[in-house]
Amino acid sequence: MRIGVLTGGGDCPGLNAVIRAVVRKGVEVHGHDFVGFRNGWKGPIEGLTRPLGLDEVEDILTRGGTILGSSRTNPYKVDGGVEAIKRTLAQEGVDALIAIGGEDTLGVAKKLTDDGVGVVGVPKTIDNDLNATDYTFGFDTAVHIATEAIDRLRTTAESHHRALVVEVMGRHAGWIALHSGLAGGANVILVPEKPFNVDQVVGWVERRFEREYAPIIVVAEGAMPEGGAEVLQTGEKDAFGHVRLGGVGTWLADEIAARTGKESRAVVLGHVQRGGTPTAYDRVLATRFGLQAVDAATEGDFGVMVALRGTDIVRVKLSEATETLKTVPSERYAEAEVFFG
Ligand code: F6P
């Protein structure tokens, strides 16, 4: 059997660990051979390939990013994109495709399955917002990086008696903010799921200053004030209709400074959260996803995504995984609210 592999969307620590597991088990246990498609869906559309065998996956387990490259190309927005993919797969003699990606990449995988292409999905995103899996790989690494940043920012905030606003990624789901905020002992955590009241945030900040502590406010990039809107870096949309968010942290730090008279600073963690080597947890999760994905492809079990349920790796329908986003439930947010102020 010949299997194509691609990685799409924003990069994420653990992508290479999946690729390695897919190829190692695919070659050594099942006797398959592989072709790598470069740069997400752009690869099969434009016939951009690279060799993918045991040699190519040696020594990549701990490496961040993706050896295959990535892009946010949407074949359904490219003229003749789907036909081009089918043509490339036929030319390359590919029997199955393993697509590693988030909501957008796997949404395409679902549509392609309906259009007769054999695809198995693997859930990746630092945002942890894919449905039907308890966790996506990359999330643990992002939380780890954000928590370390909060710990470091706390000492400078305390020294200068400043409020520090830490803006983390998370367009529609506040999982990174919630987990890093809880782990880092933030005084306020703001998520896209619950518009915030600026007066209340300022009240919590003041309470913290009264107790001689410097407040740390963790805010997801997609969080917005009640009655307000998301803060955008640019209104321009990508091929999946996403605008580029960013700036809510600076906006909030300015509001806090103006209303409290205290110094405030904002730090935007941005792509640092997606960079570098994956944590041990993400290496193991990504490896187990890869092993299950190549088994699914071997069995011709297409239209599925591998998923974590408890401690088991299972298969779920791509449709189940992509129909809605997994956002932070109000009861999980309420756990964090206990520590506000
Ligand atoms: O892939 C998820 C994500 O990290 C989001 O949290 C963030 O909004 C987005 O990617 C940033 O995308 P880009 O790297 O294309 O600017």
Side-chain angles (χ1 to χ4, degrees), residues 1-7 19 22-23 27 32-38 43-44 47-53 56-57 67-68 88-99:
M1 192 172 189
R2 186 160 159 84
I3 299 176
V5 183
L6 65 83
T7 53
I19 297 168
V22 162
V23 173
V27 172
H32 300 322
D33 73 313
F34 290 87
V35 57
F37 287 109
R38 296 193 58 82
L48 309 174
T49 62
R50 60 161 282 170
L52 194 58
E56 284 74 26
V57 300
I67 59 165
L68 295 176
T88 304
L89 295 184
Q91 275 163 5
E92 288 289 331
V94 166
D95 310 293
L97 197 54
I98 294 179

Side-chain angles (χ1 to χ4, degrees), residues 9-11 72 124-127 169-171 176 221 238 243-245 271 274:
D11 72 332
R72 296 194 186 276
K124 90 60 244 197
T125 165
I126 64 162
D127 295 345
M169 280 187 169
R171 270 190 199 123
I176 298 176
E221 62 183 348
D238 68 18
V243 288
R244 192 145 25 110
L245 297 175
H271 292 83
R274 291 204 323 226

Side-chain angles (χ1 to χ4, degrees), residues 37-149:
F37 287 109
R38 296 193 58 82
N39 307 339
W41 293 114
K42 199 176 184 358
I45 293 174
E46 297 181 11
L48 309 174
T49 62
R50 60 161 282 170
L52 194 58
L54 292 178
D55 285 350
E56 284 74 26
V57 300
E58 208 175 275
D59 211 17
I60 64 168
L61 170 65
T62 62
R63 220 194 293 168
T66 161
I67 59 165
L68 295 176
S70 193
S71 75
R72 296 194 186 276
T73 307
N74 183 350
Y76 288 89
K77 289 281 166 64
V78 175
D79 252 356
V82 175
E83 292 68 36
I85 289 178
K86 288 184 175 174
R87 215 168 31 243
T88 304
L89 295 184
Q91 275 163 5
E92 288 289 331
V94 166
D95 310 293
L97 197 54
I98 294 179
I100 311 166
E103 45 156 336
D104 300 328
T105 306
L106 297 185
V108 169
K110 151 81 178 70
K111 284 193 194 161
L112 282 175
T113 306
D114 296 343
D115 286 335
V117 180
V119 192
V120 172
V122 179
K124 90 60 244 197
T125 165
I126 64 162
D127 295 345
N128 195 40
D129 58 0
L130 261 172
N131 220 356
T133 182
D134 289 353
Y135 286 102
T136 51
F137 70 85
F139 172 63
D140 185 66
T141 307
V143 168
H144 192 82
I145 293 167
T147 304
E148 204 207 331

